[in-house]
Amino acid sequence: MHTEFRVDPGRGQTLLKDTLLRLMAAEGNYPAAGGLTLYRRHNNDMEHRPIIYQPVLIVIAQGEKSVKIGPDHFIYGEGSYFVTGVNMPTACAVRGVSADRPFLSLSLDIDKSLIARMAAEGGCEMKEPPRGSMVAPLEPALLDALMRLVELTERPDEARVIAPLTVMEIHYRLLRGPFGSQLRALSLPGTLSNQVARSIVWLKENFREPFQIDDLAKRSNMSPSTFHKYFKNFTALSPLQYQKRLRLEEANRLMLVRGYDAARASEAVGYESVQQFNREYKSLFGAPPRRDIMKMRESGLAV
């Protein structure tokens, strides 16, 4: 499924873009008030880069991002947002930007405990999601709350008191938005969505260790066939494929950030064969480990 989200940017979107340009004078990632991270990029991505998003809200102020999740392909930009309630394997590319028109975006990690508390109090409809993420048009109320949080970055004394309240409002707006019923289902115990989400957390914490599908299904109180079906619906991957993605992306981080070579990285993430690791790494990232890491450093993707 190929879906494009293009919304005519209004005054609020223009104000957000101008504020981000003021806060980010150069290319890079910038921490901001309330746990926000701001991003400025000058180069288009020639290829989609694999990444596993943790539960997060991403809003683009300028430029476009192409996101592939299994068979689904989303293109979203100004006036729309991406949200995922689980650790979601994707492949992403930035497009339509240059040094004169940089890519500008912001992200906010979703507080799952806050969502759960609000969902328990809301008593609203729940819907089991076909996928653990979505792209949607940015509602004015959500944009307004995000804009106020961004502006608090320049007022740190006020941010200490007001930012947590604004973050709470943003979570409330998400629950009131088009993905709200799915976020409730992911957060509240007893739903199939929550059981799959808990298994995803378990895999994230134990991806180095071998596991049996039957054991993971039992942990989720499902039959193996039902568990496999819902897990793949959520993430577009089987549990074993998901474990492989976790291993490979952690190995990528170890080589990029900590300077591990391929042999040491493959052992650290649970591979018994460095040859198998090299094959699977190349299949996912498009190049052998050493060449891929060199390319990332040269292109600035290591920033």
Side-chain angles (χ1 to χ4, degrees):
M1 180 182 69
H2 180 89
T3 308
E4 299 195 16
F5 290 82
R6 291 186 173 87
V7 180
D8 183 30
R11 181 175 177 277
Q13 188 75 25
T14 301
L15 181 60
L16 177 61
K17 179 187 71 174
D18 292 344
T19 304
L20 294 185
L21 284 170
R22 186 175 71 250
L23 292 173
M24 297 185 289
E27 192 172 20
N29 304 347
Y30 295 75
L36 280 174
T37 302
L38 313 180
Y39 302 88
R40 176 171 176 154
R41 290 275 303 279
H42 293 172
N43 297 320
N44 294 296
D45 294 331
M46 301 305 294
E47 300 174 355
H48 285 77
R49 183 77 189 175
I51 183 173
I52 296 181
Y53 281 126
Q54 63 186 2
V56 70
L57 164 69
I58 299 174
V59 173
I60 295 177
Q62 184 165 269
E64 288 185 340
K65 181 171 279 191
S66 173
V67 180
K68 294 181 179 179
I69 303 174
D72 299 334
H73 183 193
F74 302 103
I75 296 175
Y76 72 106
E78 302 163 25
S80 57
Y81 67 92
F82 170 86
V83 60
T84 179
V86 296
N87 293 82
M88 179 62 66
T90 69
C92 300
V94 169
R95 16 188 276 181
V97 300
S98 65
D100 295 330
R101 189 179 184 275
F103 175 80
L104 304 171
S105 70
L106 59 86
S107 71
L108 180 68
D109 290 345
I110 291 177
D111 185 333
K112 293 187 290 185
S113 62
L114 180 56
I115 288 287
R117 291 199 302 273
M118 289 183 170
E121 295 169 358
C124 300
E125 175 192 6
M126 288 189 297
K127 177 183 176 183
E128 300 284 0
R131 191 79 78 215
S133 61
M134 74 171 297
V135 174
L138 185 60
E139 304 94 346
L142 179 56
L143 173 59
D144 177 66
L146 287 164
M147 186 68 230
R148 285 185 274 114
L149 188 58
V150 171
E151 290 175 333
L152 284 171
T153 301
E154 299 180 291
R155 304 195 299 273
D157 289 341
E158 293 182 24
R160 280 190 285 272
V161 176
I162 300 175
L165 301 176
T166 310
V167 169
M168 187 177 298
E169 179 187 346
I170 290 167
H171 283 70
Y172 172 78
R173 299 293 178 193
L174 287 174
L175 281 172
R176 298 279 293 180
F179 197 58
S181 61
Q182 290 94 325
L183 282 174
R184 291 185 188 91
L186 286 165
S187 302
L188 293 179
T191 64
L192 290 174
S193 301
N194 181 257
Q195 290 163 220
V196 173
R198 288 166 65 89
S199 72
I200 290 172
V201 171
W202 186 90
L203 271 176
K204 184 174 183 294
E205 294 172 349
N206 298 275
F207 66 86
R208 295 171 180 84
E209 306 300 325
F211 70 92
Q212 297 295 324
I213 295 292
D214 289 2
D215 293 337
L216 202 53
K218 187 182 299 183
R219 184 182 293 272
S220 302
N221 297 316
M222 297 184 197
S223 69
S225 59
T226 299
F227 172 75
H228 191 278
K229 172 187 173 182
Y230 272 87
F231 192 101
K232 192 161 187 177
N233 283 346
F234 262 59
T235 66
L237 297 174
S238 71
L240 289 173
Q241 290 171 328
Y242 189 90
Q243 180 197 43
K244 183 191 299 184
R245 281 290 298 267
L246 291 170
R247 286 180 168 183
L248 292 172
E249 296 209 15
E250 173 61 9
N252 173 266
R253 186 192 70 82
L254 291 172
M255 291 185 290
L256 190 62
V257 176
R258 300 180 62 179
Y260 282 28
D261 62 18
R264 187 180 178 192
S266 66
E267 182 180 7
V269 301
Y271 276 86
E272 296 181 359
S273 165
V274 68
Q275 290 79 15
Q276 180 185 359
F277 168 75
N278 287 337
R279 286 195 304 271
E280 294 183 351
Y281 188 100
K282 181 179 179 181
S283 176
L284 178 62
F285 291 102
R290 180 179 173 83
R291 190 190 310 165
D292 181 58
I293 296 302
M294 290 176 62
K295 180 181 176 182
M296 289 186 70
R297 288 182 175 141
E298 290 170 357
S299 67
L301 288 174
V303 175

